[in-house]
Short mmCIF file of all heavy atoms in Angstrom, two decimals:
data_model
loop_
_atom_site.label_atom_id
_atom_site.label_comp_id
_atom_site.label_asym_id
_atom_site.label_seq_id
_atom_site.Cartn_x
_atom_site.Cartn_y
_atom_site.Cartn_z
N MET R 656 -66.93 115.22 74.19
CA MET R 656 -65.73 114.53 73.83
C MET R 656 -64.58 115.12 74.63
O MET R 656 -64.56 116.31 74.92
CB MET R 656 -65.53 114.61 72.31
CG MET R 656 -64.33 115.37 71.85
SD MET R 656 -63.96 115.36 70.08
CE MET R 656 -65.46 115.76 69.30
N ILE R 657 -63.63 114.29 75.01
CA ILE R 657 -62.45 114.72 75.75
C ILE R 657 -61.30 114.90 74.77
O ILE R 657 -60.99 114.00 73.99
CB ILE R 657 -62.06 113.70 76.83
CG1 ILE R 657 -63.21 113.47 77.81
CG2 ILE R 657 -60.78 114.12 77.54
CD1 ILE R 657 -63.56 114.66 78.67
N ILE R 658 -60.69 116.07 74.82
CA ILE R 658 -59.55 116.39 73.97
C ILE R 658 -58.30 116.34 74.85
O ILE R 658 -58.28 116.86 75.96
CB ILE R 658 -59.68 117.82 73.38
CG1 ILE R 658 -61.00 118.00 72.67
CG2 ILE R 658 -58.49 118.14 72.49
CD1 ILE R 658 -61.22 117.12 71.48
N ILE R 659 -57.24 115.70 74.34
CA ILE R 659 -55.97 115.63 75.05
C ILE R 659 -55.02 116.67 74.44
O ILE R 659 -54.72 116.61 73.25
CB ILE R 659 -55.36 114.22 74.97
CG1 ILE R 659 -56.33 113.20 75.59
CG2 ILE R 659 -54.00 114.17 75.67
CD1 ILE R 659 -55.90 111.77 75.46
N ASN R 660 -54.59 117.61 75.27
CA ASN R 660 -53.78 118.72 74.80
C ASN R 660 -52.30 118.59 75.15
O ASN R 660 -51.64 119.58 75.47
CB ASN R 660 -54.32 120.04 75.38
CG ASN R 660 -55.65 120.41 74.78
OD1 ASN R 660 -55.84 120.32 73.58
ND2 ASN R 660 -56.57 120.82 75.62
N VAL R 661 -51.76 117.39 75.06
CA VAL R 661 -50.34 117.20 75.36
C VAL R 661 -49.49 117.98 74.35
O VAL R 661 -48.49 118.58 74.72
CB VAL R 661 -49.95 115.70 75.37
CG1 VAL R 661 -48.45 115.51 75.40
CG2 VAL R 661 -50.59 115.02 76.57
N ASP R 662 -49.91 118.00 73.10
CA ASP R 662 -49.15 118.73 72.08
C ASP R 662 -49.06 120.22 72.40
O ASP R 662 -48.02 120.85 72.21
CB ASP R 662 -49.72 118.50 70.68
CG ASP R 662 -51.20 118.81 70.56
OD1 ASP R 662 -51.89 118.93 71.59
OD2 ASP R 662 -51.68 118.93 69.43
N VAL R 663 -50.15 120.78 72.93
CA VAL R 663 -50.17 122.20 73.32
C VAL R 663 -49.18 122.43 74.46
O VAL R 663 -48.40 123.39 74.43
CB VAL R 663 -51.60 122.64 73.74
CG1 VAL R 663 -51.59 124.04 74.30
CG2 VAL R 663 -52.56 122.52 72.57
N MET R 664 -49.21 121.55 75.45
CA MET R 664 -48.30 121.70 76.59
C MET R 664 -46.85 121.51 76.17
O MET R 664 -45.96 122.21 76.68
CB MET R 664 -48.68 120.73 77.71
CG MET R 664 -50.01 121.01 78.35
SD MET R 664 -50.23 122.73 78.89
CE MET R 664 -48.89 122.90 80.06
N LEU R 665 -46.60 120.60 75.25
CA LEU R 665 -45.23 120.42 74.75
C LEU R 665 -44.73 121.70 74.09
O LEU R 665 -43.59 122.12 74.32
CB LEU R 665 -45.17 119.25 73.75
CG LEU R 665 -45.22 117.85 74.33
CD1 LEU R 665 -45.38 116.82 73.22
CD2 LEU R 665 -43.98 117.55 75.16
N ALA R 666 -45.58 122.32 73.30
CA ALA R 666 -45.21 123.57 72.63
C ALA R 666 -44.96 124.68 73.66
O ALA R 666 -43.97 125.42 73.55
CB ALA R 666 -46.29 123.98 71.64
N LYS R 667 -45.83 124.78 74.66
CA LYS R 667 -45.67 125.81 75.69
C LYS R 667 -44.38 125.62 76.47
O LYS R 667 -43.75 126.59 76.89
CB LYS R 667 -46.85 125.80 76.66
CG LYS R 667 -48.10 126.41 76.09
CD LYS R 667 -49.21 126.43 77.14
CE LYS R 667 -50.45 127.08 76.58
NZ LYS R 667 -51.54 127.13 77.57
N ARG R 668 -43.99 124.37 76.69
CA ARG R 668 -42.79 124.06 77.46
C ARG R 668 -41.55 123.94 76.58
O ARG R 668 -40.46 123.68 77.08
CB ARG R 668 -42.97 122.76 78.25
CG ARG R 668 -44.14 122.77 79.22
CD ARG R 668 -43.93 123.76 80.35
NE ARG R 668 -44.99 123.67 81.33
CZ ARG R 668 -45.93 124.59 81.50
NH1 ARG R 668 -45.98 125.64 80.73
NH2 ARG R 668 -46.85 124.46 82.44
N LYS R 669 -41.75 124.09 75.27
CA LYS R 669 -40.65 123.94 74.30
C LYS R 669 -39.92 122.61 74.53
O LYS R 669 -38.70 122.54 74.62
CB LYS R 669 -39.67 125.11 74.39
CG LYS R 669 -40.30 126.44 73.98
CD LYS R 669 -39.32 127.56 74.10
CE LYS R 669 -39.81 128.86 73.55
NZ LYS R 669 -40.99 129.43 74.14
N MET R 670 -40.74 121.55 74.62
CA MET R 670 -40.23 120.22 74.90
C MET R 670 -40.57 119.29 73.74
O MET R 670 -41.65 119.41 73.15
CB MET R 670 -40.87 119.69 76.20
CG MET R 670 -40.33 118.38 76.70
SD MET R 670 -41.20 117.74 78.16
CE MET R 670 -40.94 119.04 79.34
N SER R 671 -39.69 118.39 73.43
CA SER R 671 -39.94 117.44 72.35
C SER R 671 -40.65 116.21 72.89
O SER R 671 -40.64 115.95 74.10
CB SER R 671 -38.62 117.01 71.70
OG SER R 671 -37.87 116.22 72.61
N VAL R 672 -41.23 115.45 71.98
CA VAL R 672 -41.89 114.19 72.36
C VAL R 672 -40.85 113.25 72.94
O VAL R 672 -41.11 112.54 73.91
CB VAL R 672 -42.60 113.56 71.14
CG1 VAL R 672 -43.16 112.20 71.48
CG2 VAL R 672 -43.70 114.46 70.63
N THR R 673 -39.65 113.25 72.38
CA THR R 673 -38.57 112.39 72.87
C THR R 673 -38.23 112.73 74.32
O THR R 673 -38.11 111.83 75.16
CB THR R 673 -37.31 112.56 71.99
OG1 THR R 673 -37.66 112.29 70.64
CG2 THR R 673 -36.20 111.64 72.43
N GLU R 674 -38.11 114.01 74.62
CA GLU R 674 -37.78 114.43 75.99
C GLU R 674 -38.89 114.04 76.95
O GLU R 674 -38.63 113.55 78.05
CB GLU R 674 -37.55 115.94 76.04
CG GLU R 674 -37.09 116.43 77.39
CD GLU R 674 -36.82 117.92 77.44
OE1 GLU R 674 -36.78 118.58 76.38
OE2 GLU R 674 -36.65 118.42 78.57
N LEU R 675 -40.15 114.24 76.54
CA LEU R 675 -41.27 113.85 77.39
C LEU R 675 -41.26 112.35 77.66
O LEU R 675 -41.44 111.91 78.79
CB LEU R 675 -42.60 114.28 76.77
CG LEU R 675 -43.85 113.92 77.57
CD1 LEU R 675 -43.84 114.57 78.94
CD2 LEU R 675 -45.11 114.30 76.80
N ALA R 676 -41.03 111.56 76.62
CA ALA R 676 -41.00 110.10 76.76
C ALA R 676 -39.92 109.69 77.76
O ALA R 676 -40.16 108.82 78.61
CB ALA R 676 -40.75 109.45 75.41
N GLU R 677 -38.77 110.33 77.68
CA GLU R 677 -37.68 110.01 78.62
C GLU R 677 -38.06 110.40 80.05
O GLU R 677 -37.80 109.65 80.98
CB GLU R 677 -36.40 110.74 78.20
CG GLU R 677 -35.78 110.17 76.95
CD GLU R 677 -34.62 111.00 76.41
OE1 GLU R 677 -34.28 112.06 77.02
OE2 GLU R 677 -34.05 110.60 75.39
N ARG R 678 -38.68 111.56 80.21
CA ARG R 678 -39.03 112.04 81.56
C ARG R 678 -40.09 111.17 82.23
O ARG R 678 -40.06 110.98 83.44
CB ARG R 678 -39.55 113.47 81.50
CG ARG R 678 -38.45 114.48 81.26
CD ARG R 678 -39.01 115.88 81.39
NE ARG R 678 -38.00 116.88 81.11
CZ ARG R 678 -38.10 118.14 81.48
NH1 ARG R 678 -39.17 118.56 82.13
NH2 ARG R 678 -37.15 118.99 81.19
N VAL R 679 -41.06 110.67 81.45
CA VAL R 679 -42.14 109.88 82.05
C VAL R 679 -41.86 108.38 82.00
O VAL R 679 -42.56 107.59 82.62
CB VAL R 679 -43.52 110.19 81.41
CG1 VAL R 679 -43.93 111.62 81.69
CG2 VAL R 679 -43.53 109.91 79.93
N GLY R 680 -40.84 107.97 81.25
CA GLY R 680 -40.50 106.55 81.17
C GLY R 680 -41.40 105.74 80.27
O GLY R 680 -41.60 104.55 80.48
N PHE R 681 -41.97 106.38 79.26
CA PHE R 681 -42.83 105.69 78.28
C PHE R 681 -42.10 105.58 76.96
O PHE R 681 -41.15 106.32 76.69
CB PHE R 681 -44.12 106.47 78.02
CG PHE R 681 -45.00 106.68 79.23
CD1 PHE R 681 -45.92 107.71 79.25
CD2 PHE R 681 -44.93 105.86 80.34
CE1 PHE R 681 -46.74 107.91 80.35
CE2 PHE R 681 -45.75 106.05 81.44
CZ PHE R 681 -46.66 107.08 81.44
N THR R 682 -42.57 104.68 76.12
CA THR R 682 -42.00 104.57 74.78
C THR R 682 -42.48 105.75 73.94
O THR R 682 -43.50 106.37 74.24
CB THR R 682 -42.44 103.27 74.08
OG1 THR R 682 -43.85 103.32 73.89
CG2 THR R 682 -42.04 102.04 74.87
N MET R 683 -41.73 106.03 72.90
CA MET R 683 -42.13 107.10 71.97
C MET R 683 -43.51 106.79 71.38
O MET R 683 -44.32 107.70 71.20
CB MET R 683 -41.11 107.23 70.83
CG MET R 683 -39.83 107.90 71.25
SD MET R 683 -40.04 109.66 71.42
CE MET R 683 -40.48 110.10 69.77
N ALA R 684 -43.76 105.53 71.07
CA ALA R 684 -45.04 105.13 70.49
C ALA R 684 -46.19 105.45 71.44
O ALA R 684 -47.23 105.99 71.01
CB ALA R 684 -45.04 103.65 70.15
N ASN R 685 -46.02 105.16 72.72
CA ASN R 685 -47.08 105.43 73.70
C ASN R 685 -47.32 106.93 73.86
O ASN R 685 -48.46 107.38 73.91
CB ASN R 685 -46.75 104.80 75.05
CG ASN R 685 -46.97 103.31 75.06
OD1 ASN R 685 -47.63 102.76 74.19
ND2 ASN R 685 -46.39 102.64 76.02
N VAL R 686 -46.24 107.70 73.93
CA VAL R 686 -46.39 109.15 74.06
C VAL R 686 -47.06 109.72 72.81
O VAL R 686 -47.93 110.58 72.90
CB VAL R 686 -45.02 109.83 74.32
CG1 VAL R 686 -45.15 111.34 74.27
CG2 VAL R 686 -44.48 109.40 75.68
N SER R 687 -46.69 109.22 71.64
CA SER R 687 -47.31 109.68 70.39
C SER R 687 -48.80 109.38 70.36
O SER R 687 -49.60 110.21 69.92
CB SER R 687 -46.63 109.05 69.18
OG SER R 687 -45.33 109.56 69.05
N MET R 688 -49.19 108.20 70.85
CA MET R 688 -50.62 107.85 70.89
C MET R 688 -51.38 108.77 71.83
O MET R 688 -52.49 109.20 71.53
CB MET R 688 -50.80 106.39 71.29
CG MET R 688 -50.43 105.42 70.19
SD MET R 688 -50.73 103.71 70.64
CE MET R 688 -52.51 103.70 70.78
N ILE R 689 -50.78 109.08 72.98
CA ILE R 689 -51.42 110.01 73.92
C ILE R 689 -51.52 111.38 73.28
O ILE R 689 -52.57 112.03 73.31
CB ILE R 689 -50.63 110.06 75.24
CG1 ILE R 689 -50.71 108.73 75.98
CG2 ILE R 689 -51.16 111.20 76.13
CD1 ILE R 689 -49.74 108.59 77.14
N LYS R 690 -50.42 111.84 72.69
CA LYS R 690 -50.35 113.17 72.10
C LYS R 690 -51.39 113.37 71.01
O LYS R 690 -52.01 114.43 70.90
CB LYS R 690 -48.94 113.38 71.53
CG LYS R 690 -48.70 114.72 70.89
CD LYS R 690 -47.25 114.79 70.41
CE LYS R 690 -47.01 115.82 69.37
NZ LYS R 690 -47.53 115.55 68.07
N THR R 691 -51.61 112.34 70.21
CA THR R 691 -52.56 112.46 69.10
C THR R 691 -53.99 112.13 69.51
O THR R 691 -54.91 112.23 68.71
CB THR R 691 -52.16 111.54 67.93
OG1 THR R 691 -52.09 110.20 68.40
CG2 THR R 691 -50.83 111.96 67.33
N GLY R 692 -54.18 111.73 70.79
CA GLY R 692 -55.53 111.44 71.27
C GLY R 692 -56.06 110.10 70.82
O GLY R 692 -57.27 109.87 70.84
N LYS R 693 -55.17 109.20 70.41
CA LYS R 693 -55.62 107.89 69.92
C LYS R 693 -55.78 106.85 71.02
O LYS R 693 -56.07 105.70 70.74
CB LYS R 693 -54.65 107.38 68.86
CG LYS R 693 -54.69 108.22 67.60
CD LYS R 693 -53.80 107.66 66.52
CE LYS R 693 -53.92 108.55 65.28
NZ LYS R 693 -53.05 108.12 64.21
N VAL R 694 -55.63 107.27 72.27
CA VAL R 694 -55.82 106.34 73.39
C VAL R 694 -57.30 106.30 73.76
O VAL R 694 -58.01 107.28 73.61
CB VAL R 694 -54.97 106.75 74.62
CG1 VAL R 694 -53.51 106.56 74.34
CG2 VAL R 694 -55.26 108.16 75.05
N LYS R 695 -57.75 105.14 74.23
CA LYS R 695 -59.15 104.99 74.62
C LYS R 695 -59.33 105.30 76.10
O LYS R 695 -60.43 105.59 76.54
CB LYS R 695 -59.62 103.57 74.32
CG LYS R 695 -59.55 103.24 72.84
CD LYS R 695 -60.61 102.26 72.46
CE LYS R 695 -60.48 101.88 71.01
NZ LYS R 695 -61.23 102.67 70.12
N ALA R 696 -58.25 105.22 76.86
CA ALA R 696 -58.30 105.49 78.30
C ALA R 696 -56.95 106.05 78.73
O ALA R 696 -55.94 105.86 78.06
CB ALA R 696 -58.60 104.20 79.06
N LEU R 697 -56.97 106.75 79.86
CA LEU R 697 -55.75 107.33 80.40
C LEU R 697 -55.76 107.07 81.90
O LEU R 697 -56.65 107.54 82.61
CB LEU R 697 -55.73 108.84 80.11
CG LEU R 697 -54.44 109.59 80.26
CD1 LEU R 697 -53.37 109.04 79.32
CD2 LEU R 697 -54.65 111.06 79.97
N LYS R 698 -54.81 106.28 82.37
CA LYS R 698 -54.73 105.98 83.80
C LYS R 698 -54.40 107.25 84.58
O LYS R 698 -53.70 108.13 84.07
CB LYS R 698 -53.63 104.97 84.07
CG LYS R 698 -53.89 103.57 83.68
CD LYS R 698 -52.64 102.81 84.04
CE LYS R 698 -52.73 101.36 84.10
NZ LYS R 698 -51.46 100.73 84.47
N MET R 699 -54.86 107.29 85.81
CA MET R 699 -54.56 108.43 86.67
C MET R 699 -53.06 108.54 86.90
O MET R 699 -52.51 109.65 86.93
CB MET R 699 -55.30 108.30 88.00
CG MET R 699 -56.81 108.38 87.87
SD MET R 699 -57.37 109.92 87.15
CE MET R 699 -57.31 110.96 88.58
N SER R 700 -52.38 107.42 87.02
CA SER R 700 -50.93 107.45 87.24
C SER R 700 -50.20 108.01 86.02
O SER R 700 -49.21 108.72 86.16
CB SER R 700 -50.40 106.05 87.58
OG SER R 700 -50.69 105.14 86.55
N THR R 701 -50.73 107.73 84.83
CA THR R 701 -50.15 108.28 83.61
C THR R 701 -50.37 109.78 83.56
O THR R 701 -49.44 110.54 83.25
CB THR R 701 -50.79 107.62 82.36
OG1 THR R 701 -50.53 106.21 82.39
CG2 THR R 701 -50.25 108.21 81.08
N LEU R 702 -51.57 110.21 83.89
CA LEU R 702 -51.88 111.64 83.92
C LEU R 702 -50.99 112.36 84.92
O LEU R 702 -50.47 113.44 84.65
CB LEU R 702 -53.36 111.84 84.25
CG LEU R 702 -53.88 113.27 84.25
CD1 LEU R 702 -53.66 113.95 82.90
CD2 LEU R 702 -55.35 113.29 84.62
N GLU R 703 -50.77 111.72 86.06
CA GLU R 703 -49.91 112.31 87.09
C GLU R 703 -48.48 112.47 86.57
O GLU R 703 -47.85 113.52 86.77
CB GLU R 703 -49.93 111.43 88.34
CG GLU R 703 -49.15 112.02 89.50
CD GLU R 703 -49.27 111.19 90.77
OE1 GLU R 703 -50.05 110.22 90.80
OE2 GLU R 703 -48.58 111.54 91.72
N LYS R 704 -47.95 111.45 85.90
CA LYS R 704 -46.60 111.53 85.35
C LYS R 704 -46.49 112.63 84.30
O LYS R 704 -45.49 113.35 84.25
CB LYS R 704 -46.19 110.19 84.74
CG LYS R 704 -45.90 109.13 85.77
CD LYS R 704 -45.54 107.81 85.09
CE LYS R 704 -45.35 106.71 86.13
NZ LYS R 704 -45.02 105.43 85.50
N LEU R 705 -47.51 112.75 83.45
CA LEU R 705 -47.50 113.79 82.42
C LEU R 705 -47.52 115.17 83.07
O LEU R 705 -46.78 116.07 82.65
CB LEU R 705 -48.71 113.62 81.49
CG LEU R 705 -48.68 112.41 80.56
CD1 LEU R 705 -50.03 112.25 79.87
CD2 LEU R 705 -47.56 112.54 79.54
N CYS R 706 -48.36 115.34 84.09
CA CYS R 706 -48.45 116.63 84.78
C CYS R 706 -47.12 116.98 85.45
O CYS R 706 -46.69 118.14 85.40
CB CYS R 706 -49.56 116.61 85.82
SG CYS R 706 -51.21 116.65 85.10
N GLU R 707 -46.49 116.00 86.05
CA GLU R 707 -45.21 116.25 86.70
C GLU R 707 -44.15 116.65 85.67
O GLU R 707 -43.44 117.64 85.85
CB GLU R 707 -44.75 115.00 87.45
CG GLU R 707 -43.47 115.22 88.24
CD GLU R 707 -43.06 114.00 89.05
OE1 GLU R 707 -43.91 113.13 89.32
OE2 GLU R 707 -41.88 113.94 89.40
N ALA R 708 -44.07 115.91 84.57
CA ALA R 708 -43.06 116.19 83.55
C ALA R 708 -43.30 117.52 82.85
O ALA R 708 -42.35 118.22 82.49
CB ALA R 708 -43.04 115.06 82.52
N LEU R 709 -44.57 117.87 82.66
CA LEU R 709 -44.91 119.11 81.95
C LEU R 709 -45.15 120.29 82.90
O LEU R 709 -45.46 121.39 82.45
CB LEU R 709 -46.15 118.88 81.08
CG LEU R 709 -45.94 117.93 79.91
CD1 LEU R 709 -47.28 117.50 79.31
CD2 LEU R 709 -45.05 118.55 78.85
N ASP R 710 -45.04 120.03 84.19
CA ASP R 710 -45.25 121.06 85.22
C ASP R 710 -46.58 121.78 84.99
O ASP R 710 -46.63 122.99 84.77
CB ASP R 710 -44.09 122.06 85.23
CG ASP R 710 -44.16 123.01 86.42
OD1 ASP R 710 -44.72 122.62 87.45
OD2 ASP R 710 -43.69 124.16 86.29
N CYS R 711 -47.66 120.99 85.00
CA CYS R 711 -48.99 121.55 84.74
C CYS R 711 -50.05 120.83 85.56
O CYS R 711 -49.74 119.89 86.28
CB CYS R 711 -49.30 121.45 83.25
SG CYS R 711 -49.50 119.76 82.64
N GLN R 712 -51.27 121.27 85.41
CA GLN R 712 -52.42 120.66 86.08
C GLN R 712 -53.16 119.74 85.09
O GLN R 712 -53.06 119.94 83.88
CB GLN R 712 -53.38 121.76 86.57
CG GLN R 712 -52.79 122.65 87.65
CD GLN R 712 -52.51 121.87 88.92
OE1 GLN R 712 -53.36 121.13 89.40
NE2 GLN R 712 -51.30 122.03 89.45
N PRO R 713 -53.93 118.76 85.59
CA PRO R 713 -54.68 117.88 84.69
C PRO R 713 -55.56 118.65 83.71
O PRO R 713 -55.70 118.26 82.55
CB PRO R 713 -55.51 117.02 85.64
CG PRO R 713 -54.72 116.99 86.90
CD PRO R 713 -54.07 118.35 87.00
N GLY R 714 -56.14 119.75 84.16
CA GLY R 714 -57.00 120.56 83.29
C GLY R 714 -56.26 121.24 82.15
O GLY R 714 -56.86 121.68 81.18
N ASP R 715 -54.94 121.32 82.26
CA ASP R 715 -54.13 121.86 81.16
C ASP R 715 -53.98 120.83 80.05
O ASP R 715 -53.78 121.18 78.89
CB ASP R 715 -52.73 122.26 81.65
CG ASP R 715 -52.76 123.37 82.68
OD1 ASP R 715 -53.64 124.26 82.57
OD2 ASP R 715 -51.92 123.35 83.60
N ILE R 716 -54.11 119.56 80.41
CA ILE R 716 -53.93 118.46 79.45
C ILE R 716 -55.28 117.98 78.90
O ILE R 716 -55.40 117.70 77.71
CB ILE R 716 -53.19 117.28 80.11
CG1 ILE R 716 -51.76 117.71 80.47
CG2 ILE R 716 -53.17 116.06 79.21
CD1 ILE R 716 -50.99 116.67 81.24
N LEU R 717 -56.29 117.90 79.76
CA LEU R 717 -57.60 117.38 79.35
C LEU R 717 -58.60 118.51 79.19
O LEU R 717 -58.68 119.41 80.03
CB LEU R 717 -58.12 116.39 80.39
CG LEU R 717 -57.25 115.16 80.64
CD1 LEU R 717 -57.84 114.33 81.76
CD2 LEU R 717 -57.08 114.33 79.39
N GLU R 718 -59.38 118.42 78.14
CA GLU R 718 -60.40 119.44 77.85
C GLU R 718 -61.67 118.75 77.38
O GLU R 718 -61.63 117.81 76.60
CB GLU R 718 -59.86 120.36 76.75
CG GLU R 718 -60.82 121.41 76.27
CD GLU R 718 -60.26 122.20 75.08
OE1 GLU R 718 -59.06 122.08 74.76
OE2 GLU R 718 -61.08 122.91 74.46
N TYR R 719 -62.81 119.22 77.88
CA TYR R 719 -64.11 118.69 77.45
C TYR R 719 -64.72 119.64 76.44
O TYR R 719 -64.77 120.84 76.64
CB TYR R 719 -65.07 118.54 78.63
CG TYR R 719 -66.46 118.19 78.20
CD1 TYR R 719 -66.77 116.92 77.74
CD2 TYR R 719 -67.47 119.14 78.20
CE1 TYR R 719 -68.04 116.61 77.31
CE2 TYR R 719 -68.75 118.85 77.77
CZ TYR R 719 -69.03 117.57 77.34
OH TYR R 719 -70.29 117.26 76.90
N ARG R 720 -65.18 119.08 75.32
CA ARG R 720 -65.90 119.85 74.31
C ARG R 720 -67.18 119.10 73.96
O ARG R 720 -67.18 117.90 73.74
CB ARG R 720 -65.09 119.99 73.01
CG ARG R 720 -63.90 120.88 73.14
CD ARG R 720 -63.28 121.13 71.79
NE ARG R 720 -61.93 121.68 71.95
CZ ARG R 720 -61.03 121.67 71.00
NH1 ARG R 720 -61.29 121.14 69.83
NH2 ARG R 720 -59.85 122.18 71.23
N LYS R 721 -68.27 119.85 73.92
CA LYS R 721 -69.54 119.25 73.51
C LYS R 721 -69.47 118.90 72.04
O LYS R 721 -68.94 119.65 71.23
CB LYS R 721 -70.70 120.25 73.70
CG LYS R 721 -71.27 120.24 75.07
CD LYS R 721 -72.54 121.07 75.10
CE LYS R 721 -73.21 120.90 76.43
NZ LYS R 721 -74.45 121.68 76.50
N GLU R 722 -70.02 117.74 71.72
CA GLU R 722 -70.07 117.33 70.32
C GLU R 722 -71.24 118.02 69.66
O GLU R 722 -72.35 118.04 70.18
CB GLU R 722 -70.21 115.81 70.23
CG GLU R 722 -68.96 115.08 70.68
CD GLU R 722 -69.03 113.60 70.38
OE1 GLU R 722 -69.46 113.23 69.27
OE2 GLU R 722 -68.66 112.83 71.27
N VAL R 723 -70.99 118.59 68.50
CA VAL R 723 -72.03 119.26 67.74
C VAL R 723 -72.72 118.19 66.89
O VAL R 723 -72.07 117.47 66.13
CB VAL R 723 -71.45 120.38 66.85
CG1 VAL R 723 -72.54 121.06 66.07
CG2 VAL R 723 -70.68 121.38 67.70
N LYS R 724 -74.04 118.13 67.01
CA LYS R 724 -74.78 117.10 66.24
C LYS R 724 -75.41 117.67 65.02
O LYS R 724 -75.73 118.76 64.85
CB LYS R 724 -75.84 116.47 67.14
CG LYS R 724 -75.21 115.73 68.29
CD LYS R 724 -76.26 115.10 69.14
CE LYS R 724 -75.61 114.39 70.31
NZ LYS R 724 -76.55 113.74 71.15
#
């Protein structure tokens, strides 16, 4: 399973969801969906904007975890 760690990066950068939304040009609703991992897909251009705004690498935002069965 892929985990989206935008909330972790926001905390590390001491940035609010509102500030991130303004920096990337997305609505608060879209940023909240990404932050909570409720998105089914993430465009590369979106990932690039998030990395630029959060000054991080894609691996800081995306994490793979094996599902325990």
Side-chain angles (χ1 to χ4, degrees):
M656 115 174 49
I657 302 293
I658 306 297
I659 300 175
N660 290 316
V661 169
D662 54 344
V663 173
M664 293 309 300
L665 284 171
K667 285 183 178 180
R668 301 294 186 251
K669 295 179 173 61
M670 186 184 300
S671 69
V672 174
T673 304
E674 185 179 349
L675 180 60
E677 289 172 0
R678 286 187 183 198
V679 296
F681 299 158
T682 64
M683 285 285 298
N685 284 343
V686 172
S687 291
M688 286 183 66
I689 293 168
K690 181 178 159 288
T691 58
K693 293 184 179 177
V694 291
K695 298 211 184 268
L697 195 61
K698 286 179 164 180
M699 295 300 279
S700 59
T701 300
L702 183 58
E703 185 175 354
K704 287 178 184 179
L705 290 170
C706 287
E707 184 177 340
L709 293 167
D710 189 28
C711 67
Q712 295 295 312
D715 297 325
I716 294 174
L717 301 176
E718 176 185 349
Y719 171 74
R720 290 189 196 161
K721 275 190 172 180
E722 291 189 43
V723 180
K724 296 181 181 181

